[in-house]
Amino acid sequence: PESFEYRYQLGRALAGDGKREQAIDAYHNVLSLIPRYLEAHLRISEILLESGNPREALKYQKEAVDIAPNRLELKIELARQFSNLGLRSAALDHLAEVIKLEPDSFDAHYFSAEIYRTSNMDQQAITALDECLRIDPTNFEAAGFIGTSATISGAVSFGTLTDSGESISITKFVDESDGISNNDNDTTIPTSAAVKDLSLIHISEP
């Protein structure tokens, strides 16, 4: 009888030839022998996504996360799929699980901020981006993103943007009426890590 390894490699070969349906059949044959074979679930989900069937792919992604709960990148990818399907609450729930397991997951915090922004939850987006800058203070993309969020929400205003030649300092003015009582999350970014176009940061007068 054919081994699961043969069936798995057959699925990969068929997928490489663009024979997606046959590849899925081969991977299903693998799962008939080993129902919780992680790579087969992942390969099927990839093919279904490429075929424009994200909801069907979601089933296999969820199974993959169940099989390997400590693979945080799988949880993040599952969250991304939930978000793509408009299921933002479910996406945030999975990202919260990632952050609980790995509080310094930049990707989880940054993706959470993106979801909050698209959900018009700008204060939550700012909080998530502050975590990004705590983890990686040199990430100018996050700094630019948080500037945009702050300008849109009106919850926080950047007061100054100073380029000293060696670093770029962003100082936030605070507004106690918005529940913000200090500016202890000012940010300094090495110039070498900054993008050239400083217009990405939106500065509003205090």
Side-chain angles (χ1 to χ4, degrees):
E2 297 173 349
S3 68
F4 84 92
E5 182 62 27
Y6 170 82
R7 297 181 186 189
Y8 177 72
Q9 294 300 333
L10 176 62
R12 294 190 63 181
L14 290 167
D17 287 339
K19 300 176 180 178
R20 294 173 176 171
E21 291 186 7
Q22 295 95 318
I24 289 176
D25 287 341
Y27 290 132
H28 277 146
N29 286 334
V30 172
L31 295 177
S32 70
L33 296 174
I34 306 178
R36 291 175 64 81
Y37 190 62
L38 176 62
E39 291 302 322
H41 286 284
L42 293 177
R43 296 286 181 177
I44 292 174
S45 69
E46 288 175 3
I47 293 172
L48 290 170
L49 286 173
E50 292 171 357
S51 303
N53 196 346
R55 289 191 178 275
E56 188 68 17
L58 189 65
K59 295 193 308 182
Y60 293 93
Q61 289 178 301
K62 290 168 69 175
E63 185 66 23
V65 167
D66 182 64
I67 294 168
N70 293 325
R71 291 273 299 274
L72 300 187
E73 74 277 11
L74 298 182
K75 287 181 179 287
I76 292 174
E77 189 56 38
L78 178 60
R80 191 172 302 281
Q81 192 56 41
F82 273 121
S83 179
N84 290 341
L85 291 170
L87 304 172
R88 294 172 181 167
S89 179
L92 289 170
D93 286 344
H94 282 280
L95 291 170
E97 290 179 12
V98 173
I99 292 168
K100 183 177 180 179
L101 293 169
E102 179 49 72
D104 289 343
S105 173
F106 182 93
D107 289 343
H109 286 293
Y110 193 84
F111 187 27
S112 295
E114 290 180 335
I115 295 175
Y116 285 132
R117 275 290 305 281
T118 57
S119 302
N120 296 317
M121 302 169 68
D122 290 309
Q123 186 56 60
Q124 290 88 333
I126 291 168
T127 300
L129 288 164
D130 276 337
E131 284 298 299
C132 290
L133 292 175
R134 176 187 64 80
I135 297 164
D136 181 6
T138 67
N139 193 288
F140 201 73
E141 183 178 4
F145 192 3
I146 197 172
T148 305
S149 295
T151 301
I152 291 173
S153 69
V156 180
S157 294
F158 286 130
T160 63
L161 176 66
T162 305
D163 185 353
S164 67
E166 295 182 355
S167 65
I168 294 173
S169 296
I170 301 171
T171 302
K172 299 173 186 175
F173 285 91
V174 301
D175 186 346
E176 293 189 7
S177 67
D178 287 315
I180 302 169
S181 59
N182 63 71
N183 64 344
D184 59 4
N185 53 357
D186 294 346
T187 303
T188 298
I189 303 169
T191 303
S192 61
V195 298
K196 294 180 179 179
D197 186 4
L198 298 182
S199 65
L200 291 173
I201 293 188
H202 299 254
I203 306 173
S204 56
E205 294 298 325

